[in-house]
Amino acid sequence: MRAKIVGSIVLVGLLLFSMFMYAKPSGGEGKLEYKVYAKKDIISAAYKAYGNPKLGMWVAKVVLYNTGKGAIRNIKISYSIDTYSQQISKTYPILVPGGTLVDLYYPIISSDVTKLTMPTPSNLRIRIEYEVNGKKKTEEITKSLQILGIHDFIFSSLSPEESTGSFYDAFSNAPLIVAWVTTTDPVVREFADMGNRLAGGAGASLSDEEAIKSLSGIWQLAVVNGFSYKTEPSSYWTSKAAQHVMYPRDVIRDKSGTCLDLAIWFATLATTQGLKAYIVFMPGHAFPLIQLPSGSIIPVEATAINSKVSFQDAVKMGLQTWQKATQGPYQVIDIAEYQSDGIIPPELPQLPPNVLKEWGISAQTQGGGAEGGTGNQEGGGEWVIYNGNGFSFQYPANWQQPEDYGGYVYLVSNDEEFEFIVMYAQGYTVQDMVQSFEQTLQEGGITIKARKETQADIAGITAYAVLYSLSSQYGDFAAVARYFTSGGTAYAVIYDFPRNNQEYNQLGEQIVSTFRLG
Amino acid sequence: MNMRRAFILSSLFLFVFLILLSTALAADIKLEEYKIDGTMKMQVDTTGTAHVEETWKFTPNLYLQMKQAYPTTYMLKREFENKRSSVEYKDMKIEWDDSNNQIKAQYEMLGAAVNKGEYWELDLGEGDLTVSTQNGNTLVLTSVQPLFGGQGRMVETVTLVLPKNAKNIRIEGNIVRYELPYKESGKNPVFLGLALISVLGLVLLNAPLKRGKK
């Protein structure tokens, strides 16, 4: 009897042990190991981009490894950035033995960051909760980061040990620069519209001609308002240091900018006119490309604004810059593409409606214009000097001041029967000027009834001259044109008057006699 | 306003902008569209790790630019293994193939497939994905991805081999889902047998005892 009881107890014990051992995962426990990668800087201007997984701009990457022999269950990873991004969590039911889990943190960042004007330290907090064999465990990690000021741009967020040292790594943040392209900023649009009006009101997206006309007007507006290029310090292009980049409105206010500021500024102005634009980064430089309605793309050397050259010359210089860029590493940033992906500008403070006037932006010519110098010309009356872009002449003081349309200066008598025009184009030949002028006259409905070639002096130069007999629906008139080149620029100095009006013919010659270069 | 003045003025606008246009069009540039043809064989194991063999074939110009940017395979390897990547790579081997303008790579992509409890999920990334064929646990797909901010594109043929026992394989958007239940390993049948023997022993040992009582 006792033996049976002892035997039964042993068997019950064996049964319990067997059941426990069968139920217990004999593979063992799960063991969590992890790595955390975190960005060190957040570019406030592009704060909206960080929350978009499509852009891949994660702020933290958590890699969990299960190096144990059992599963890890109910994993929850939570992230927050102090007051700038509320806590968000993600859960995973299981991480199998030998498995890896890669979790990326795309924070929805508060627009409060746009109020920061200086880099501000902050903390990224990560909490990992999980269960191993029913036991709850927690890991907490804090990483410091800095939230950059609203104007700060950093060319690369890679640490030295991450960077390969290539140009592409040094400029790995380049696409984020499209956050500075503020196409919808009312101030920028107003500036562009003002330039457009200066060009006679062009519909830039209608045709290449209209686009060029519009861009030229905008460029000319900047020229007459004395926009300039300011050089950046040599440390500007280093990949790690935060650099102050101006928004287009800042460039308009200050009337100056670095090459990157000016590239962004002009590209933005083009986009306000419905044109597609790009920003090209090359080592130590940046410049815009503008796509015309036909699909043709023109490079613009925006820093040429400093030399007050015409838009035409800025494009020529842009071509040289483009050729230089293609000799080495470069990146072309498609503004529309990246903005449609979600890299969009931050909210900027509202400005008063008349702010352009306050900033002294005006469509009136400042570079040229009448000066106080007066004199008496034969024929009586006072004359004043007009100083143009590389030339000057005198005209009757009681006439309206000549107007500079960016490529030509136009003077008209009070009775509007006499016109005096100085046209100039860098890099052109005399023949180019003659052909272009005569062609445009014809296309404007003015018939050249006769032309007589001759030579005539102007500013100490013996110029190729043409005496025109012209006809249009407004009557017959005569024109005298002198074509010549000086210092790489071609000039056409022309005056026209009703046929047989000797008085105006003499007046024209008088004005020509006051024409000076330099 | 004298009509003649306005008329001449408008002609002059035309004059200036014809000059500008002719110059501008002479300065017209072309942005090169880059194209990469790729093949990828991706074998996913039961832990979700993908073992990948991949080849990218470039246009000659782009291949030269790539070689200029990354003169050594070490630099290229670091570029792919960079910590900014959304993927965790392991054991990457990468080599230039100058005669064919291509790069060949072999690597492991850790955590490529994620166990969501009921099913596993494998995200094949951005781009347009088309399934060409499916044979058991093997899928052949064509992926077209934009590159360089839309300035180029990569067309890649992807052969995806899922774990042997993967079931109910389906593709939703760019995500492949399949079922592969996780079994806790180590249910040792010896202990089950031992338990059965214990029960049998108890029955045999205690049955006569009851009879004795009667």
Side-chain angles (χ1 to χ4, degrees), chain A residues 291-373:
Chain A
Q291 187 169 321
L292 302 176
S294 67
S296 299
I297 294 172
I298 54 169
V300 181
E301 182 47 76
T303 61
I305 200 80
N306 209 41
S307 315
K308 302 195 183 306
V309 299
S310 65
F311 180 65
Q312 165 204 9
D313 288 333
V315 172
K316 275 186 190 170
M317 292 164 77
L319 185 63
Q320 288 169 4
T321 310
W322 168 257
Q323 283 164 348
K324 206 171 159 188
T326 54
Q327 302 303 309
Y330 67 98
Q331 277 197 68
V332 179
I333 305 299
D334 184 334
I335 293 168
E337 181 75 24
Y338 283 110
Q339 287 199 335
S340 70
D341 279 350
I343 307 176
I344 49 178
E347 297 77 12
L348 296 175
Q350 207 168 9
L351 293 170
N354 60 344
V355 72
L356 285 185
K357 199 175 172 189
E358 282 177 23
W359 291 345
I361 302 294
S362 154
Q364 296 298 313
T365 303
Q366 291 180 352
E371 284 188 353

Side-chain angles (χ1 to χ4, degrees), chain B residues 6-195:
Chain B
F7 190 70
I8 297 283
L9 200 61
S10 64
S11 296
L12 287 171
F13 267 121
L14 194 61
F15 163 79
V16 170
F17 296 120
L18 271 181
I19 288 179
L20 292 176
L21 181 64
S22 60
T23 309
L25 291 180
D28 179 15
I29 59 168
K30 292 277 176 273
L31 293 180
E32 187 175 352
E33 186 179 300
Y34 298 112
K35 186 170 176 277
I36 302 173
D37 289 317
T39 55
M40 178 194 239
K41 187 178 178 191
M42 182 186 251
Q43 193 151 8
V44 183
D45 68 19
T46 53
T47 68
T49 296
H51 306 263
V52 182
E53 286 176 24
E54 195 164 18
T55 304
W56 300 289
K57 186 169 175 58
F58 300 88
T59 56
N61 199 17
L62 183 57
Y63 187 76
L64 275 177
Q65 284 187 38
M66 287 287 286
K67 283 212 82 168
Q68 276 175 357
Y70 305 102
T72 65
T73 51
Y74 171 71
M75 286 177 78
L76 196 61
K77 182 172 175 284
R78 281 185 65 185
E79 175 65 27
F80 282 94
E81 284 186 329
N82 207 300
K83 288 172 191 164
R84 71 172 179 273
S85 165
S86 304
V87 179
E88 193 68 1
Y89 294 106
K90 192 184 163 196
D91 297 336
M92 178 166 282
K93 290 172 194 154
I94 196 159
E95 60 185 39
W96 293 103
D97 178 1
D98 290 347
S99 55
N100 294 303
N101 294 331
Q102 62 186 24
I103 295 173
K104 291 178 179 174
Q106 259 190 315
Y107 54 89
E108 286 184 13
M109 200 189 288
L110 302 179
V114 179
N115 191 328
K116 296 280 185 176
E118 300 288 312
Y119 55 88
W120 286 75
E121 201 171 84
L122 174 69
D123 189 345
L124 290 172
E126 295 295 323
D128 296 327
L129 206 62
T130 316
V131 183
S132 305
T133 58
Q134 181 177 349
N135 184 11
N137 64 337
T138 302
L139 292 92
V140 180
L141 310 108
T142 304
S143 158
V144 181
Q145 290 184 60
L147 294 172
F148 315 115
Q151 222 186 308
R153 65 197 176 111
M154 177 157 86
V155 180
E156 187 160 45
T157 305
V158 181
T159 305
L160 176 63
V161 183
L162 296 173
K164 196 177 162 188
N165 297 322
K167 290 187 174 61
N168 198 12
I169 299 164
R170 63 234 187 241
I171 297 179
E172 290 163 26
N174 284 9
I175 293 174
V176 179
R177 292 195 173 94
Y178 59 93
E179 289 169 18
L180 184 70
Y182 170 68
K183 288 177 192 166
E184 294 281 6
S185 62
K187 301 284 184 194
N188 195 335
V190 172
F191 292 110
L192 186 63
L194 214 54

Side-chain angles (χ1 to χ4, degrees), chain A residues 439-451:
Chain A
Q439 185 188 340
T440 49
L441 281 180
Q442 285 170 359
E443 288 177 7
I446 299 172
T447 307
I448 301 173
K449 290 171 67 179
R451 66 191 300 281

Side-chain angles (χ1 to χ4, degrees), chain A residues 18 26 37 58 61 73 100 158 161-163 169 216 297 312 337 408 410 416-417 423 428 444 496, chain B residues 2 4-5 7 15-16 20 22 28-29 78-79 82-85 87-88 111 149 184 186 188 191:
Chain A
S18 305
S26 68
Y37 306 100
W58 50 264
K61 179 165 90 168
R73 295 181 185 273
T100 307
L158 302 180
E161 66 271 19
E162 287 178 88
S163 175
D169 272 5
S216 303
I297 294 172
Q312 165 204 9
E337 181 75 24
Y408 68 89
Y410 182 83
E416 300 188 347
E417 291 292 337
M423 294 186 284
Y428 267 64
D496 67 84
Chain B
N2 182 312
R4 186 164 76 82
R5 178 183 185 252
F7 190 70
F15 163 79
V16 170
L20 292 176
S22 60
D28 179 15
I29 59 168
R78 281 185 65 185
E79 175 65 27
N82 207 300
K83 288 172 191 164
R84 71 172 179 273
S85 165
V87 179
E88 193 68 1
E184 294 281 6
N188 195 335
F191 292 110

